[in-house]
Amino acid sequence: MRWGEKRYNSLNYFLREKFGEKVYKVSLDGGFTCPNRDGTLSKKGCIFCSDNGSGEFAGSRKKSITDQIEEQLELISKKFPHGNVIAYFQNFTNTYGNLEYLRKIYEEALSHPRVVGLAIATRPDCIDDGILDLLEELNNKTFLWVELGLQTTDEKTAIDINRGWKLEVFKNMMEKLNNRNIKVVAHIILGLPNENHKTMLDSIRYIVKKKVWGVKFHLLHIIKNTNLEKLYIDTKFHILAKEEYIDLIGKAIEILDTDMVIHRLTGDGSRETLIEPKWSLDKRNVLNSIEKHLKENNISQGDKYEKIT
C-alpha cells in the first residue's frame, strides 16, 4: 500500500487528502503550566521536559493568540504565503485552565481567516467533563485533534520519568474521547532510560489496540537543565544509535493500522540545548535514512498489523 510516494500514512498526506492542499501547523503558547510543575502533583515536571514545556518552536506567551498566529505565518511566508493552517496549542498542558479561558483562546484561534482546525496537546488527567463538552462542541464545527503524552505503557518507566498518572487514566480518557468521536494523537518516546526494544514496541501495540487515530514518534532528547540530563550524567544510560532508532521506527510502522496517521517520525532538537543524541540534529538525514530503510527492507505501514489485533 502507498500513501502518495510514502510507505506510511503521513500527516502531510492526510491533510492534503482532506483539504485538497498543503496545510501547515502554527505552534502557539496559550500561557499554560502543568500540574506536574505547579505543585499540584509535583514541581519537578517530567524528567525530559524543558523549561519551555517541550514547545521550543512555539510563539511567545507574551503575545495574543492572534499575534502569535501572525508571527508564525510570517516565519513561513516565503514557502507558504497563502495557504491554510492548523492552530497547534503546544506548550505544557493546554487544557489546564478554567473553561472560560480555554473557550476564549480556542475561539480566538479559530477566528483567524487562515485557521481551518485545532490541535491541542494535553495530559489525560487534565480533561474533565466540562472540557470534554467544549472539545465535542469544537469537534462538531471544525477539524480537531487532541494530543496525549502517553510516552510509554510501562508503569515502572512512567514512575521513573515522573509522568504523574497511571496507564488506566489514559485508557479511560481514550474511551471518553472516542465516544465523542474526537481524534486522539498519542506521543510515544523511543529510548527512555532502561527500556528495551520489546518495551518500546509494546507501547506501540497498545495504542494500536486502543484505536488511537494518530501517533507521534519521539526520539528521546537529553536537553540541558532537565532532570534527564542529571540522570544521564549520573548513570550514562543507553542512548539509541541512529541505526537502532531507524530499525525501531521500521518495526513500529509495520504494526500500525493502515488508517493511523503518523504525525512525526523523529523530533526537532535545538543545537544550543541538546546534549544527546547529537546525530539527531541532522533531521533531514534521519528522515531520508528512514525512507531508505523502509524501501530496502520492503516495509510498509500495516504489514504486520493483523498479527497483533
Side-chain angles (χ1 to χ4, degrees):
M1 189 170 180
R2 293 290 185 274
W3 292 264
E5 298 179 352
K6 303 290 187 183
R7 290 172 171 265
Y8 55 90
N9 189 12
S10 69
L11 178 62
N12 182 56
Y13 178 84
F14 176 89
L15 293 177
R16 279 187 180 273
E17 288 293 298
K18 177 171 180 59
F19 293 102
E21 62 180 357
K22 174 77 174 179
V23 175
Y24 273 86
K25 289 188 302 180
V26 290
S27 296
L28 310 175
D29 188 331
F32 296 97
T33 182
C34 172
N36 217 7
R37 283 177 173 268
D38 69 1
T40 301
L41 294 175
S42 168
K43 292 186 177 180
K44 297 178 180 179
C46 296
I47 65 171
F48 52 79
C49 194
S50 68
D51 290 339
N52 292 317
S54 297
E56 277 71 17
F57 303 106
S60 169
R61 62 175 51 197
K62 296 178 181 179
K63 299 181 179 181
S64 70
I65 297 300
T66 300
D67 286 346
Q68 288 186 54
I69 293 172
E70 289 295 336
E71 180 181 67
Q72 296 287 303
L73 288 173
E74 178 61 29
L75 291 174
I76 60 174
S77 61
K78 289 185 178 179
K79 62 180 178 181
F80 195 67
H82 305 299
N84 292 321
V85 296
I86 303 291
Y88 178 31
F89 287 90
Q90 181 179 18
N91 299 53
F92 296 106
T93 305
N94 291 275
T95 58
Y96 191 50
N98 67 68
L99 203 56
E100 293 75 17
Y101 177 71
L102 297 180
R103 180 183 294 278
K104 174 183 178 295
I105 61 170
Y106 299 159
E107 294 286 0
E108 182 178 351
L110 286 175
S111 70
H112 193 282
R114 290 178 63 181
V115 170
V116 293
L118 293 176
I120 300 170
T122 188
R123 294 165 55 99
D125 58 344
C126 291
I127 304 176
D128 61 23
D129 288 342
I131 294 171
L132 277 170
D133 289 342
L134 174 59
L135 293 174
E136 183 176 22
E137 178 186 330
L138 293 168
N139 192 51
N140 287 333
K141 67 179 182 180
T142 192
F143 182 70
L144 170 74
W145 74 74
V146 173
E147 301 191 6
L148 300 179
L150 174 59
Q151 322 308 1
T152 180
T153 57
D154 187 88
E155 297 285 27
K156 181 181 183 307
T157 303
I159 293 171
D160 291 343
I161 65 175
N162 198 42
R163 190 178 65 187
W165 47 269
K166 293 186 176 181
L167 188 58
E168 188 74 12
V169 176
F170 180 90
K171 174 180 175 291
N172 292 339
M173 185 49 60
M174 268 299 308
E175 291 175 356
K176 291 179 180 181
L177 291 166
N178 281 341
N179 287 340
R180 297 178 186 236
N181 296 313
I182 296 170
K183 298 176 183 65
V184 177
V185 177
H187 291 232
I188 298 291
I189 298 179
L190 301 179
L192 287 168
N194 303 314
E195 289 205 339
N196 57 35
H197 291 197
K198 181 183 182 301
T199 310
M200 298 176 213
L201 292 173
D202 281 348
S203 293
I204 309 301
R205 293 184 177 94
Y206 178 86
I207 64 171
V208 172
K209 291 177 181 178
K210 293 302 176 186
K211 304 298 181 185
V212 172
W213 172 70
V215 58
K216 275 189 174 180
F217 295 114
H218 297 269
L219 166 66
L220 181 70
H221 283 164
I222 302 174
I223 305 298
K224 290 180 181 178
N225 302 319
T226 61
N227 289 324
L228 185 62
E229 179 193 14
K230 297 174 185 175
L231 179 65
Y232 180 64
I233 291 171
D234 291 341
T235 67
K236 289 296 187 291
F237 61 81
H238 175 66
I239 299 294
L240 294 178
K242 177 183 171 184
E243 295 74 18
E244 189 179 9
Y245 182 75
I246 290 169
D247 182 67
L248 276 166
I249 287 292
K251 287 181 169 64
I253 287 174
E254 284 183 306
I255 61 180
L256 297 180
D257 185 343
T258 53
D259 289 335
M260 286 182 69
V261 180
I262 298 177
H263 286 234
R264 172 174 283 181
L265 288 174
T266 188
D268 298 293
S270 166
R271 193 172 297 275
E272 292 74 28
T273 61
L274 183 69
I275 303 295
E276 287 287 357
K278 296 293 189 184
W279 58 260
S280 67
L281 289 170
D282 191 350
K283 184 178 179 181
R284 177 49 51 193
N285 178 265
V286 176
L287 292 174
N288 287 341
S289 297
I290 291 172
E291 298 285 354
K292 181 181 178 183
H293 176 77
L294 298 179
K295 183 177 181 180
E296 289 180 347
N297 293 277
N298 194 27
I299 294 170
S300 293
Q301 183 172 333
D303 282 349
K304 296 184 179 180
Y305 167 69
E306 294 294 338
K307 295 181 181 179
I308 66 166
T309 56

